[in-house]
Structures are given as structure tokens and as C-alpha cells.
Amino acid sequence: MNDPDTDPKGMDGAALDRLAAQVEAWERNEVATFLERTPERLTAFATLGGFPVKRTYTALDLARTPGDDIGLPGQFPFTRGPYPTMYRSRTWTMRQIAGFGTAEDTNQRFKYLIAQGQTGLSTDFDMPTLMGYDSDHPMSEGEVGREGVAIDCLADMEHLFDGIDLQTISVSMTINPSAWILLAMYVALAQQRGYDLDRLSGTIQADILKEYQAQKEWAFPIAPSVRIVRDCITYCARHMKRYNPINISGYHISEAGSSPLDEVAFTMCNLIAYVEEVCKTGMAVDEFAPRLAFFYVCQSDFFEEIAKFRAVRRVYAKIMRDRFGARNPESMRLRFHCQTAAASLTKPQYPINVVRTGLQALAAVLGGAQSLHTNGMDEAFAIPTEDAMRIALRTQQIIADESGVANVVDPLGGSYFVESLTTEYEKEIFKVVDYVDRNGGTVKLTEEGWFQRRVADFAYETALKKARGEKPVIGVNKYADAQERFDIELHPYDASTAERQITRLRQVRRDRDSQRVAALLDALVAVARDETRNLMPVTIELVSAGATMGEIVERLKGLWGTYRETPMF
Amino acid sequence: MSDEEPVIRVLIAKVGLDGHDRGVKIVARCLRDAGMDVIYTGLHRTAEEVVDAAVQEDVDILGISLLSGAHMTVFPRIFAALKEQGADDIIVVGGGVIPDDDVVALRRMGVQEILLQDTPPDAIVESMRRLVRERGPR
Amino acid sequence: MRSARALTPDALADRVLRGDRGAIARMLTRAESGGETARAALDRLYRHAGKAHVVGITGVPGSGKSTLVARLAFAVRRSARTVGIVAVDPSSPFSGGSILGDRIRMSDLAGDPGVFVRSMATRGAMGGLARGTLDVVDVLDAAGYDFVIIETVGVGQDEVDVARAAHTTVVVSAPGLGDDVQAIKAGILEIADVHVVSKCDRPDANQAIAELKGMLALGLSLAPGSAQTWHPPVIATSSARGEGIDELLAAIDGHRRALEATEEIVARRAAIAERRMLKAAEAMLHDRFMRRRGATTAAVLAALGDRRLSPHAAARRLLQDLQSGDSE
């Protein structure tokens, strides 16, 4: 228990005793009388993630959280925010993800978004690019440029960022198994344009462990894949001071069906695995940890999400300081990008998705996100139209400029309920981390499907709850409109995309110095065989010489093999 | 020995590159919990591989899930492969994110049921049973 | 639309004998459901079976059986022989349904006409196999596959049925498994004709091999009825690196030659057939009891309940009743 004299929350032991008696009397009198007349809606209330929720919270609950764990914004353990002034200095980065068709198509969407006031770029790639296949590979058929932009080689990258100054805008690339190749292309493009690499800001996702656990995009087995992540982190720490080499992501874990607790807890398990891997190279934790970044979803349980964000910041700070011995506060402040929950959007009555997204975005801001993507209302149908994206961006702008919530740092700090739930979350996150530690660590449990099974179990329970109506979804299992007909303008897929893309790809293959590419691919394999070496420099040379992503990946598959999962149900 | 009520066999497959398996896992569990045998062929398969497996497993139903938008490429290949293997008595169903216009086109192509997001488990089970009932014994 | 596969039992059997994959698949479905309609065709196919070498592969959970089976199948194909695979997975004890995922590990075999893979659920059967597994083996055998591999469930100590169904039994263990798994392993070790320690790319593999050899030295290796001249070898494999697989196939072929040289194969086949006969008789009796759960059974049950009859005496009464029922 805290020393009441130094407890910044200002309740001494006697005051707490008086309060306890008061609460008990209230339950006995006012509450009991009301319950006799009208029972509550449910016999027990819980958050979407299953945390029990009491009737109300008081200073008694707050007293269970040590004052130091709450602290102040920009101070350890950063519960109240990574920075002291937060949105009073600069509001979060409004970073709407975009990507479709060829590089030219997406370049136009980027320019539109910048014109609408967007402050960061975020790139969505098509499935072949995400999985490391060239657009003319048989597995790519039907998928080129469909769900994101198709990138095969440096020439595509040049078109993607044509006319955009990469020294003044940060660029996020949502890509994992093939992330290091995209990073290499980005570096090669910057070199071409004569940029100082230390001035580039942005991120690749490069969080491969959550791929095996949740999103299921991979090229190689786990061990070499983690080594690639390590190489990205150490390369950026030495050559790109402002660039985040990884975005440890809970978002996809959540979208695959996990509980909000597992979403954040698993990112901490994955974090530990990456940090250990990088430290094995002899790099000190403070050399790279300041550039580790995170990515979370914001779901629809408003206070739970806020508590989740606050708790994971606290857990991260403690892990980095106490477990890894970080000394630099920059290594302990968790910074995250946030996206509202695509899985919460519905096709029925789809315009109401704007409201869902608005509430989720508000929770993300109250939870202290550094950048935010708000989903388009039509995402349950297809990738969003320009109109849907504009409304989504305006949603953020209303929160930033009209609501006033950005004027005070962590306005919910000290809330009896939110602080209590934050502390509950912290405890439960540490329980998961401890379990993983005791049972062989993240990589072993990923191989055994432990994470995957927890995700599948929660997803199945959620589906059953929806079917039983226990989890209301407006327009689906409540207030559904049987007569509804969808009259919606969808983002069109340009059938000529694949052809245009493949034409350029073949042109690049014809025009380059093939002998040089072949020699560099041999050099790549030699580097890959030696685990102490870094894959980045040779990959940068490769893409500069016109090698395609598919060529690089296929060559390494020859060395490392690929991955086949044992699915958990 | 008496003839038992045959157990419905369903092959559930992810075709193409997308790894979104939340839906297929829920469907697989629903069908198992309704007493069916569910064969799952895993992620990132081609149409031809999946049909080859469906033929060997002699399934009543072949369920294809994809959220990558490539359904208008994949389903024609499924039907072509089924025909080539003389297995066009297999009931084909689909699932995933599929725009309404494409739903119409896929049904015309021969997809007998399309399970979209949030189809309740009971409804999934019931529609699979109905399709097998309507087909009759084979 | 009715398919070309909707055939009379005889026509279906003809097609199976010609190796028609669609027909084989349909025949397997009928064999698995165990109905009378399948019986005539199965009886006919049985006469054509008996050429395949039947390999049972069992092992503890997490030992990588499915991957090993896939690798072994590749090795069989490289030796210009064909292979049918029966992969058994457990049914849910609650719903009776199942999710069968063994094919995932075998998907690299897709498209090879010399390989046929079939998944089966146990549907409540104990012993690591499904009911009807041996009928399924017969169908694949009659269809001309040189090898038939049975991959058992791999969840318990009682997985010994495979040794009574296969000509060569391979028991797979792996390094780094927990104590509970070790206990299961001990229970099935003695049925092995060939031992495999899988995942030998792992650092703790040598220890696992040493432990296994230690256990075998304690005399666990004397499989009852096994050819005395045959000493079960221990083979280290790594599916990840593709190592040890050719050695495994060589060991299986070696065991087969040893069985043939000593004519042990004849005895094994006879023992398998005899056991199947007894099992079939049991199943028929069981089936008839279930169908005749009428007045007599109720009366016997009542007598059993108040201890006027012992279970043994009650069983005699039931059998008598069956016989008199038959003569009616």
C-alpha cells in the first residue's frame, strides 16, 4: 500500500476507511432501493475484452494504483503519455493508409490526401508485394494492385513517390516478410535523389512474429525471418536516425480475432523476442530502442481501449528499464500508430460506420496515439473510395480542431474507473508475458501455435456471442433492416492494372545489366548464409541494379525454404 | 452392419495469397461442432490444389474463402478443375468479402451459397445441411 | 446433376481397380461409413488387395508425423513407386465432428498422380485408428498403390492398433518434448519395427537419440511376434533439412525384405486378417444387440440390476436370445 502522506492522490488511510463505509451504505440503501424497483440490464457487466466492470468506481479503486505508476505525461512510466505536452504542441499525425493499382494510381491518391490536409503517408501494398511475389508470378494472378499498390522494383518506387518530398513527410509502409526489400528501395530512391538518410522519417512494419501468430503473411521460416528484422533494426540504428525500422503491431492480432488484452500483451512478447535478438549482436539497447514503434487497433469499448493504451505504455517502460536495462528515457516511451477497427464495420446500414469510427478515433486520441488512421465507411465492401476517405479524415480533423480534447494532456488521468482498468490491464499483460517466459519464449510458443490458439478461441467466442445477441452489433443483430438494399458507389478495380504493371516489370528486366544482378544475387546468398552479416547493404545494391522483389525472395527461399503452419482451431 | 446417416464432409480452403483465416476457422469450428468432418487445407493454396484435395477426400462441399478480391479469378478456375476431374457433383460454396454484384455473378457461375461476414453459426450449419439434403444421396 | 461417380457397387469397384481417383475416393467414403451397400464391393476389392506394403506411422503429439509422412512419400515416389496415405485425426468427443488438418503438411505432394491422400476421423474409435481404416487400406491396396501409409492420431498410449494393421510400424519421437509426452512414448515404443527421432536439426537431438537407445537397451524393443532376426534401427531425421528420409525408406524396405525372407510376412498378414475377422464378428454382434434392444434385453437388464444375474450370465442369455431370434 502507498504511504498516504506521499500519495499524490491525497487520500489518507482514515479518509479511505470513511469512504469504504460510505460506499457500503450507498449499496445498502440507494442502490438496493433502485434495484428493487428496476433491476439492472445485465446481471454482470464486462468490457468487450471480458474485464468485469463494477457499478461505479471511487477513490478506493484509485488507491490500488501506486501514484508513481500514474505519474505525469512525458515521465516514466509514461502512463499519461509519451510526451509532456502531447497535442498542445502538435496534434497527432493524420495518416490515412492508401494503396491500389499501380504506383502512379496510388501516387495520385497520396497527392489528393496531402491536399486534404493529411500530415503523413501510409502505404498499403497488394498481396503479391506483401508476400514477396512479382506481379507476373502465377500466384499473383487476380491480385495485382487489387488490395493495395503493386511494387516489384525500384522503378515502381520512383513513381510511387514522384513529386513528394520525402524529407518533409513521414512515410509508413505496411509490409512484413518482404519489408527489408521495400526499405532497400526507399533508401535507394533517397540516394538517387541525394537525400541525407538521417533526415528520412517513417516506418516499415517488419513485425514478422505477429504474422505467424495472426496475419499469416510470410515467405521464410521463423528463424531467418527474425534475423531479417534484426538486420533492419541494426541498419536503421546506424544509418537512418529518424526512421522506425519496425512497427510492432497488435492491430492484426486484434483483426484476426484476439481479445484487446492479447493484442497488447502479444506485442510485448514479440518486443522481447526482437530486443533479445538485436542485443545478441552486441548493440546496446539504448542504441536502437528509441526507434521502436508500435501499432494498435482502437476497438469499440471506449474506456477499455483508453486503459489498454495507457497500460501498455506503462508495461513497455517497465520492461525496457527493468528487464533490458535501458537508461535513456527515449528507450522507454512507447509511441504508437492507431487505426480504428476495420472488423467492427458493417455492411448493413454502412453510413453508421462513420459514427463507430468517430468514437473509436476519440478513444485513440484520449489514449494518446501519435498517429491515426480512421477507416472509410465503405471498408466492409472494398477498399475505400476517395469520398469515404475524406469523411474519415474530416472525422479526425473535427476531433483535433473542434472538440477541444486535444487541449489538455491525458484528460482521463485520475479517473477512478480508467486508472483502475489501466492497472488491471497492466497486471494481466504481465501475466501473459510471464507465462510466455516460463514456457519457452515467444518463438517456441509461436511454433507450437499457442498464440494462434488464443486468437482463434476468442474469435470463436465472439462469433457465438454475436449470434446469441450478447454482443450487440447495430444493424446486424439489433435494429437490423431486413429491407435494406445496398446502393453504394465502390472503388473500381481497373482491369488493366496487372497488364500495365507486368509490362513495366518486363521492361525493367530487359533494360538492366543482368550479369550484375546475377552476381549480386549470389552475393546475397553468401550474406544470408552468414548470420553475423547484415542483409541490407547487398539488398540496396540489388534493387539499385534493377533486381525485383520476387527474384530476391525466391533466391532466399532456395536457401531457407518456406513456412507451413499447423493451424490451431 | 446397418448403414449410418452419412457424416457430411466439407473441405474448407483458402485460395490465393491472403492470410485472413479468422472466418474459415470460425466456420470450421461451427461445422465440426455440428458433427461434420471438416478438412482444412491451410493457407495460400491454388485452385487446382484445392480441387485435387476435394476429389481425393470425396467431400460433399467445397468451401472457398478469400478476402483478397480475387474471387472472380479463382472461382472460374475451381469450376474448370472440378469439371476436368469429373467431380462436378461437389457443392461449391464461397465466403469472404464479396461485393453484391459479384455475389450475383458467382451464383450464376454455380456457387451455391455465399457466406458473408457475420453469418451466424447456426445459419451456416443449416445452409450446409440443406445443400446436402437438396443434392440427395450419391 | 448426378455425377459420373454415382455408380453401382460393381462398376465402382471396376473403376477402383483401374485406378480412377474419383472412384477410389467414392469407394473410400463408402468404406468409411461401413454400410452394407459398400460390403459387396469391398469383398471384391479384398481379393485384389494384398500386394501393397502397409506402413504404420505413429508417435507422440508434436513429433512431426505429418511432415515426416510427406517427406517419406516423396522418397517413395523418387524410388518410382506409388503411395496411398491414410491420415487419421481425432473426432470431437462432444459433437462427433472433426477438423482434419494433416493434408496441410502434405500439400507439396499435390498434383502428383502417384500419390493419394485421404483424411479420416476416429469417430469415437480407440487405439489410434478410425473404424474402417483397414477397409480403406484395402481399397488403396487394390487400386494398385505400392505403399499404403497409415498415420495414426498420435494422442495417447493406447495407439497400438496400428501395429496390428501394418506390416512395418514406425514410431516417431522428437527432442524437447515434455514429461507427459515421454510417458506416452514409453507406452508405444515396443510396437516399433523402426524408430525415428525427428527434428534432428535441433541442438538437443543427440540427447533424445541417446535416451531412446537407453530405453531400448532396457529390453523394451522386443516387439511380441516380431522377427527375431530383425533389430529395430533408430533413424535420425530432419524434415526441415530433408535428412534421414532415404535412410528411413531403406529401413522400411529392409524390414520388408526381412519379413519376406523369414516368411514372417505370411504370419503377419494372417494375424491381421484373423484379427479383422474377429473385430468384424464383434461389430456384427454389437450391431445386432443394438437393433434388438427389445423386451428380452430389458428383462435381462432388470435381472442384472437387482443382481439376480451376473454380467457374465446375462451375456449368455443375450447370446441365446440372439440365436433363437435367428432361427425364427
Side-chain angles (χ1 to χ4, degrees):
Chain A
M1 216 51 215
N2 309 302
D3 178 352
D5 294 332
T6 59
D7 183 356
K9 298 187 298 293
M11 290 283 264
D12 65 15
L16 287 174
D17 288 345
R18 281 196 301 280
L19 179 58
Q22 195 185 346
V23 170
E24 203 191 317
W26 171 74
E27 290 277 356
R28 222 174 31 241
N29 302 319
E30 285 90 342
V31 172
T33 314
F34 256 75
L35 288 181
E36 255 169 52
R37 252 183 286 156
T38 333
E40 291 178 332
R41 284 182 288 113
L42 300 169
T43 49
F45 289 77
T47 65
L48 191 144
F51 283 73
V53 174
K54 298 201 295 184
R55 187 164 289 119
T56 195
Y57 289 74
T58 66
L60 289 170
D61 301 288
L62 188 61
R64 281 192 259 278
T65 301
D68 286 349
D69 275 354
I70 299 175
L72 286 166
Q75 273 184 3
F76 187 90
F78 304 98
T79 310
R80 305 198 59 193
Y83 303 113
T85 58
M86 292 295 287
Y87 311 132
R88 286 166 67 96
S89 308
R90 193 173 66 84
T91 51
W92 59 93
T93 303
M94 297 181 191
R95 193 192 295 280
Q96 299 296 91
I97 197 163
F100 60 89
T102 62
E104 289 88 340
D105 301 331
T106 298
N107 178 265
Q108 284 186 10
R109 175 67 71 93
F110 279 164
K111 286 175 175 163
Y112 171 81
L113 287 167
I114 292 169
Q116 295 298 315
Q118 172 157 314
T119 50
L121 293 178
S122 179
T123 321
D124 220 348
F125 298 96
D126 68 357
M127 288 306 314
T129 307
L130 292 172
M131 293 286 288
Y133 290 104
D134 279 345
S135 294
D136 58 351
H137 191 283
M139 283 301 281
S140 305
E141 197 189 334
E143 312 211 25
V144 175
R146 192 180 279 278
E147 279 213 311
V149 59
I151 301 291
D152 293 308
C153 56
L154 182 57
D156 298 328
M157 199 69 134
E158 290 162 10
H159 290 285
L160 183 64
F161 296 115
D162 181 53
I164 297 171
D165 184 357
L166 300 178
Q167 292 179 108
T168 55
I169 194 160
S170 71
V171 177
S172 164
M173 295 194 273
T174 303
I175 190 143
N176 293 282
S178 47
W180 96 101
I181 305 173
L182 265 293
L183 176 60
M185 289 181 191
Y186 199 71
V187 169
L189 177 64
Q191 286 171 341
Q192 235 180 54
R193 292 188 183 176
Y195 292 157
D196 174 1
L197 290 187
D198 280 334
R199 286 191 59 192
L200 296 180
S201 70
T203 183
I204 44 173
Q205 195 161 78
D207 173 13
I208 200 68
L209 287 168
K210 66 94 173 55
E211 293 298 330
Y212 300 104
Q213 293 160 357
Q215 186 166 245
K216 314 295 172 77
E217 289 162 12
W218 50 64
F220 314 114
I222 298 180
S225 298
V226 172
R227 179 259 180 107
I228 292 173
V229 174
R230 177 203 74 181
D231 287 355
C232 290
I233 294 175
T234 54
Y235 179 85
C236 288
R238 296 204 170 96
H239 303 284
M240 303 173 80
K241 295 276 177 278
R242 289 181 60 211
Y243 197 84
N244 300 332
I246 188 168
N247 233 259
I248 303 172
S249 304
Y251 183 86
H252 319 86
I253 297 171
S254 170
E255 289 284 300
S258 89
S259 68
L261 169 68
D262 282 353
E263 182 210 355
V264 286
F266 290 2
T267 61
M268 292 297 107
C269 299
N270 294 342
L271 160 82
I272 289 166
Y274 296 130
V275 171
E276 284 174 348
E277 192 68 20
V278 175
C279 287
K280 274 190 221 158
T281 67
M283 188 174 261
V285 68
D286 284 327
E287 257 183 273
F288 65 92
R291 299 305 329 163
L292 299 177
F294 291 80
F295 173 22
Y296 294 112
V297 73
C298 195
Q299 290 270 14
S300 48
D301 191 315
F302 192 78
F303 292 110
E304 178 173 43
E305 293 301 305
I306 296 167
K308 178 185 86 177
F309 297 131
R310 298 173 88 251
V312 74
R313 269 197 300 268
R314 188 190 293 167
V315 169
Y316 177 75
K318 290 182 179 178
I319 288 176
M320 295 311 285
R321 187 189 69 178
D322 303 339
R323 181 175 183 139
F324 291 115
R327 318 270 285 275
N328 180 356
E330 298 278 340
S331 305
M332 304 172 207
R333 68 175 73 167
L334 180 148
R335 302 161 303 130
F336 72 99
H337 171 67
C338 190
Q339 180 170 341
T340 56
S344 73
L345 303 186
T346 60
K347 269 176 95 163
Q349 305 178 31
Y350 72 91
I352 65 175
N353 289 328
V354 173
V355 181
R356 287 194 178 98
T357 298
L359 284 167
Q360 292 166 8
L362 179 60
V365 168
L366 293 174
Q370 277 54 64
S371 68
L372 181 59
H373 166 101
T374 33
N375 291 318
M377 61 177 155
D378 52 1
E379 287 200 24
F381 294 86
I383 65 168
T385 56
E386 220 161 68
D387 253 3
M389 268 296 104
R390 189 170 43 83
I391 293 173
L393 181 60
R394 294 285 180 262
T395 305
Q396 293 195 42
Q397 289 161 341
I398 288 171
I399 296 171
D401 297 334
E402 294 184 7
S403 75
V405 299
N407 298 344
V408 61
V409 182
D410 189 31
L412 288 171
S415 150
Y416 301 141
F417 175 42
V418 171
E419 292 296 358
S420 177
L421 193 53
T422 301
T423 299
E424 283 298 304
Y425 251 87
E426 179 197 355
K427 275 189 210 150
E428 295 301 318
I429 295 169
F430 271 119
K431 272 190 203 162
V432 173
V433 170
D434 288 345
Y435 178 90
V436 171
D437 279 342
R438 278 185 284 106
N439 288 278
T442 305
V443 170
K444 177 165 181 281
L445 289 188
T446 303
E447 279 169 353
E448 291 172 6
W450 180 82
F451 295 94
Q452 295 88 317
R453 190 185 295 276
R454 290 216 4 161
V455 171
D457 282 348
F458 193 83
Y460 191 54
E461 277 167 36
T462 306
L464 294 182
K465 277 184 187 165
K466 271 192 210 173
R468 289 195 298 257
E470 288 165 29
K471 181 179 190 290
V473 182
I474 304 305
V476 173
N477 61 13
K478 219 171 176 183
Y479 316 119
D481 177 2
Q483 308 303 317
E484 182 174 16
R485 294 180 54 83
F486 301 115
D487 182 19
I488 179 170
E489 182 102 3
L490 292 182
H491 175 85
Y493 174 67
D494 179 348
S496 73
T497 303
E499 200 190 311
R500 284 187 287 137
Q501 182 63 21
I502 290 170
T503 303
R504 176 155 69 213
L505 173 62
R506 299 207 163 136
Q507 186 66 42
V508 167
R509 287 210 197 105
R510 268 196 301 275
D511 292 351
R512 69 191 183 187
D513 178 347
S514 292
Q515 275 182 327
R516 180 168 154 70
V517 170
L520 283 168
L521 283 171
D522 290 341
L524 172 76
V525 171
V527 174
R529 273 185 210 284
D530 181 352
E531 279 186 32
T532 63
R533 297 178 67 188
N534 193 308
L535 285 161
M536 281 306 299
V538 66
T539 310
I540 295 168
E541 277 191 83
L542 267 164
V543 298
S544 301
T548 65
M549 169 183 276
E551 289 165 337
I552 295 171
V553 170
E554 289 303 322
R555 196 60 193 271
L556 290 177
K557 277 184 185 168
L559 174 67
W560 288 330
T562 181
Y563 180 77
R564 191 136 289 149
E565 75 160 352
T566 305
M568 292 294 149
F569 289 92
Chain B
M1 266 177 276
S2 62
D3 283 55
E4 294 173 13
E5 176 77 8
V7 175
I8 296 177
R9 285 171 75 81
V10 186
L11 188 141
I12 302 233
K14 291 285 304 176
V15 177
L17 294 175
D18 90 273
H20 299 99
D21 57 2
R22 177 182 185 159
V24 288
K25 286 188 166 182
I26 289 171
V27 171
R29 272 167 99 143
C30 292
L31 299 182
R32 176 195 63 191
D33 292 350
M36 301 181 197
D37 282 345
V38 180
I39 295 124
Y40 180 54
T41 46
L43 297 169
H44 314 135
R45 312 268 38 111
T46 66
E48 291 73 20
E49 286 169 347
V50 161
V51 167
D52 198 34
V55 169
Q56 291 174 44
E57 297 290 354
D58 191 30
V59 291
D60 299 285
I61 299 170
L62 170 57
I64 307 286
S65 155
L66 67 167
L67 286 82
S68 68
H71 43 269
M72 298 308 285
T73 310
V74 166
F75 278 99
R77 282 170 56 174
I78 294 280
F79 284 108
L82 282 171
K83 191 154 187 219
E84 195 191 314
Q85 301 230 26
D88 33 18
D89 58 342
I90 293 177
I91 299 162
V92 176
V93 304
V97 177
I98 296 171
D100 292 11
D101 288 351
D102 291 351
V103 167
V104 175
L106 290 175
R107 282 186 175 278
R108 207 169 291 142
M109 206 183 287
V111 181
Q112 297 200 30
E113 185 69 81
I114 291 169
L115 305 172
L116 298 173
Q117 191 196 5
D118 285 328
T119 307
D122 289 351
I124 295 172
V125 169
E126 190 31 58
S127 68
M128 297 304 112
R129 288 198 176 126
R130 176 178 52 76
L131 289 171
V132 172
R133 209 164 44 231
E134 285 171 2
R135 181 207 62 197
R138 53 178 201 175
Chain C
M1 187 178 77
R2 295 307 297 261
S3 136
R5 294 188 290 171
L7 296 165
T8 62
D10 250 0
L12 193 60
D14 282 340
R15 288 204 184 194
V16 170
L17 291 172
R18 289 204 300 269
D20 176 330
R21 291 163 78 80
I24 295 168
R26 181 59 44 83
M27 194 65 235
L28 295 181
T29 307
R30 295 192 181 163
E32 189 179 15
S33 64
E36 283 302 328
T37 44
R39 198 36 66 192
L42 286 172
D43 289 350
R44 200 176 138 214
L45 291 173
Y46 185 81
R47 293 197 291 275
H48 292 271
K51 299 179 197 80
H53 190 66
V54 182
V55 179
I57 301 210
T58 188
V60 296
S63 58
K65 286 188 297 297
S66 300
T67 313
L68 184 74
V69 167
R71 290 288 185 164
L72 181 60
F74 274 115
V76 171
R77 295 295 293 135
R78 278 197 302 275
S79 72
R81 290 175 286 181
T82 56
V83 57
I85 298 170
V86 187
V88 185
D89 267 341
S91 297
S92 155
F94 306 107
S95 69
S98 65
I99 296 176
L100 312 171
D102 286 330
R103 292 195 80 94
I104 295 170
R105 303 245 152 232
M106 301 177 192
S107 45
D108 290 340
L109 296 162
D112 180 348
V115 180
F116 194 105
V117 182
R118 180 65 170 228
S119 315
M120 285 184 87
T122 53
R123 298 190 188 159
M126 310 296 277
L129 300 183
R131 209 150 47 102
T133 300
L134 293 184
D135 289 329
V136 164
V137 169
D138 283 343
V139 174
L140 291 169
D141 184 343
Y145 290 95
D146 299 316
F147 272 87
V148 178
I149 300 177
I150 308 170
E151 183 199 334
T152 71
V153 177
V155 285
Q157 279 200 48
D158 62 340
E159 296 213 349
V160 291
D161 274 4
V162 70
R164 302 188 187 113
H167 306 134
T168 301
T169 301
V170 179
V171 174
V172 189
S173 47
L177 301 170
D179 290 346
D180 45 341
V181 174
Q182 293 294 347
I184 296 172
K185 190 170 83 183
I188 55 174
L189 227 40
E190 63 194 55
I191 63 170
D193 299 307
V194 176
H195 293 280
V196 165
V197 177
S198 62
K199 305 186 182 180
C200 280
D201 42 297
R202 292 174 43 151
D204 44 352
N206 285 338
Q207 193 194 338
I209 295 169
E211 271 172 23
L212 177 63
K213 287 187 171 164
M215 286 168 92
L216 296 177
L218 289 172
L220 285 168
S221 68
L222 296 175
S226 120
Q228 294 303 310
T229 52
W230 179 258
H231 298 287
V234 175
I235 302 196
T237 65
S238 161
S239 294
R241 291 190 193 148
E243 290 166 5
I245 310 296
D246 289 332
E247 289 83 344
L248 173 59
L249 180 58
I252 292 168
D253 281 333
H255 182 245
R256 178 187 195 165
R257 280 193 301 275
L259 289 177
E260 283 165 355
T262 56
E263 302 215 342
E264 168 82 15
I265 189 76
V266 179
R268 281 217 182 187
R269 285 188 198 278
I272 291 167
E274 183 183 338
R275 187 177 148 75
R276 288 178 68 184
M277 174 186 74
L278 292 174
K279 278 276 178 196
E282 261 175 51
M284 285 176 200
L285 274 180
H286 179 264
D287 193 48
R288 280 160 72 182
F289 283 134
M290 297 316 277
R291 266 190 288 170
R292 292 168 58 99
R293 275 188 137 160
T296 329
T297 315
V300 171
L301 276 178
L304 194 60
D306 54 21
R307 292 187 178 268
R308 277 178 287 135
L309 275 180
S310 73
H312 199 264
R316 261 199 308 269
R317 279 275 296 276
L318 280 184
L319 275 177
Q320 276 165 8
D321 178 54
L322 261 188
Q323 277 160 355
S324 63
D326 287 347
S327 57
E328 271 164 20

